[in-house]
Amino acid sequence: MSNRRTFIQKAFGLGAGLFAAPRVFANSQNGSSSRSRSAHSGSSFNMPVVTADIGDLPYKMDGDTKVFHLTAEVVKQQISPLKTIDAWGFNGSAPGPTIQVNQGDRVRVIFDNHLPEPTSMHWHGFEDTIQNDGMPGISQDPVKPGGSFVYEFNIHQAGTYFYHSHMAMQEMAGMLGAFILHPKEPYQPHCDKDFLIHLQEYAVLPNNTVPNTMNMEFNWLVFNGKAGPATTPLIVRLGDRVRIRFVNLGMDHHPMHLHGHTFYTTGTEGGRIPEAAWWPGNTVLVGVAQARDVEFVANNPGDWMIHCHLPHHMMNQMSSNVGKMTRTQGMPAGGDMNTGMGMLKGTPEAPMGEDYGPALGRGLGGVGNASDTAATNGPLSQKKAMDAMPAMQHDMGNMQMGQMAEDDIAKNANDVPNFPQDAYMEGPMMTMDGMVDRPENHGLRAGWSGFMQGMMTFVRVLPPDKYDEVIARMKQAKRSNDPYSAILERA
Ligand SMILES: [Cu+2]
């Protein structure tokens, strides 16, 4: 109990300190200028959830029913500046847009199937009638290509729920989205910001655009359909109470870690956890098919990482060019990615072909090192590096090819067991600040993007002046269907 008490005291102390910033809530529905716990009691409201890089599905009223049009379709999803994939999603994105309704609402979802095969929509966690459960061949006929199905719900639950295709491989192609059920009685304490992050993984070969849904090894790990550094940071004002809802509909469990703060886990895919059972942490394991809501007071200014802590989930386009063995002459430097991902090829054919000898993990095929090309991961000049990566030269865009400083690599590096590990995987070489430029990134340390990959983004806890500046730039951008609109309207 003492932990809880300390936590509450912290919140109180913070509330008092922030009376100096009354305009935070000037436009909010309750008009309160305080953020202390007690002041929010009974006067709170449900802050709309922001799904950065995705946004919301709009609705129209039909009498007292909220009507949503959800369309399954093939989408071009840009997961990184130089990587756009052919995913299957909804209404233009994968994951699909977030649906937000209130407890007590009557909701209709008119679902259209624009895919080339049958599908069916499941509403994950809904305690509703079996007719609306979306199990193909069990509770309904599959929805054929060009077909549609109408789902209707009386929403009596509250929490972080989801929708997804109940065809497993379609789910892995991107067919998922969030379904937020806001509680009739707003949660206490009030949260000033409420974000949602989908955790997804794709296996996409180099020079390919179609995810291999059969694969169990993934090379693109994404938040809301974007891999770091293309993820959009979560912008919060110093002192805000923040909720982040993690949703995982993939093949792996993800330990989500926040820097600089301690959060409490306040909700699961089953709704709100009673306050006495909240638990503190800075890492929460989000298992497959689970949601985890965490809350914290953003009381520590800075650009704080939030990321999956699985090391391989903090990388893009994973390759296995690590370790000294990969750089020794005569030693295979890793099979190419086709092989590593189980797509056999060669002459004579698999499994008897001579290409199927032992290989060390997975290389990048034509990009970088493979068993029949020289390893490129020695200390190289920029020219040598570019010459060794012919496939990258023509689509490098305006990636800023920085060079490693002379003293970045120790003189005796080649004699050290296991060198290299990260020496050539991240850093100045991979910097692309300009390519991922957006208002939310304003003021980040130059070169930051070279050190952010995979399931990574920032929670930017900004002091009032910096917060106002970033928000002003976000407003100026006048983006259509801005995922941040709920926050921008209130700022
Ligand atoms: Cu992970």
Side-chain angles (χ1 to χ4, degrees), residues 10 17 73 102 130 168 200 232 246 302 305 330 359:
K10 239 179 175 175
E73 59 189 1
N102 300 317
I130 187 73
Q200 268 182 295
T232 296
F246 299 108
M305 277 264 179

Coordinates of all heavy atoms in Angstrom, one line a residue, residues 10 17 73 102 130 168 200 232 246 302 305 330 359:
K10 N 2.7 11.8 -5.1 CA 3.4 12.4 -6.2 C 2.5 13.2 -7.1 O 2.7 14.3 -7.5 CB 4.1 11.3 -7.0 CG 5.6 11.4 -7.1 CD 6.1 10.2 -7.9 CE 7.6 10.3 -8.1 NZ 8.1 9.2 -8.8
G17 N 2.0 22.1 -8.1 CA 3.0 22.8 -8.8 C 2.6 23.3 -10.2 O 3.1 24.3 -10.7
E73 N -9.4 -4.1 -47.4 CA -8.8 -3.9 -48.7 C -7.3 -4.0 -48.7 O -6.7 -4.0 -47.6 CB -9.2 -2.5 -49.2 CG -8.8 -1.3 -48.3 CD -9.3 0.0 -48.7 OE1 -10.1 0.1 -49.7 OE2 -9.0 1.0 -48.1
N102 N -18.9 5.0 -26.9 CA -19.1 5.1 -25.5 C -19.9 3.9 -24.9 O -20.8 3.4 -25.6 CB -19.8 6.4 -25.1 CG -19.0 7.6 -25.6 OD1 -17.8 7.6 -25.4 ND2 -19.7 8.5 -26.2
I130 N -23.9 -14.2 -30.3 CA -23.1 -15.1 -31.1 C -23.2 -14.7 -32.6 O -22.2 -14.9 -33.3 CB -23.5 -16.6 -30.9 CG1 -22.5 -17.5 -31.6 CG2 -24.9 -16.8 -31.3 CD1 -21.2 -17.7 -31.0
A168 N -6.6 -16.4 -39.7 CA -5.3 -16.2 -39.1 C -4.3 -15.5 -40.0 O -3.6 -14.6 -39.6 CB -4.7 -17.5 -38.5
Q200 N 3.1 -4.9 -34.1 CA 2.9 -5.8 -35.3 C 4.3 -6.1 -35.8 O 5.3 -5.4 -35.6 CB 2.2 -5.0 -36.4 CG 0.7 -5.2 -36.5 CD 0.3 -4.4 -37.7 OE1 0.4 -3.2 -37.8 NE2 -0.2 -5.2 -38.7
T232 N 5.8 8.1 -35.1 CA 5.5 9.4 -34.7 C 5.6 9.5 -33.1 O 4.8 8.7 -32.5 CB 4.2 9.9 -35.2 OG1 4.2 10.0 -36.6 CG2 3.9 11.3 -34.6
F246 N -1.4 -0.5 -25.1 CA -0.6 -1.3 -26.1 C -1.6 -2.5 -26.5 O -2.2 -3.1 -25.7 CB 0.6 -2.0 -25.4 CG 1.6 -1.0 -24.9 CD1 1.8 -0.7 -23.6 CD2 2.4 -0.2 -25.8 CE1 2.7 0.2 -23.1 CE2 3.3 0.7 -25.4 CZ 3.5 0.9 -24.0
G302 N 12.1 15.5 -21.0 CA 13.1 14.8 -21.9 C 12.4 14.0 -23.0 O 11.2 13.9 -23.0
M305 N 12.7 7.3 -24.6 CA 12.4 6.1 -25.4 C 11.2 5.3 -24.8 O 11.1 5.1 -23.6 CB 13.6 5.2 -25.4 CG 14.6 5.6 -26.4 SD 14.4 4.7 -27.9 CE 15.7 5.4 -28.9
G330 N 36.9 -17.3 -45.7 CA 36.6 -18.7 -45.8 C 35.4 -19.2 -44.9 O 34.9 -20.3 -45.0
A359 N 25.3 -22.4 -42.6 CA 25.5 -21.0 -42.7 C 25.2 -20.4 -41.4 O 24.5 -20.9 -40.6 CB 24.5 -20.4 -43.8

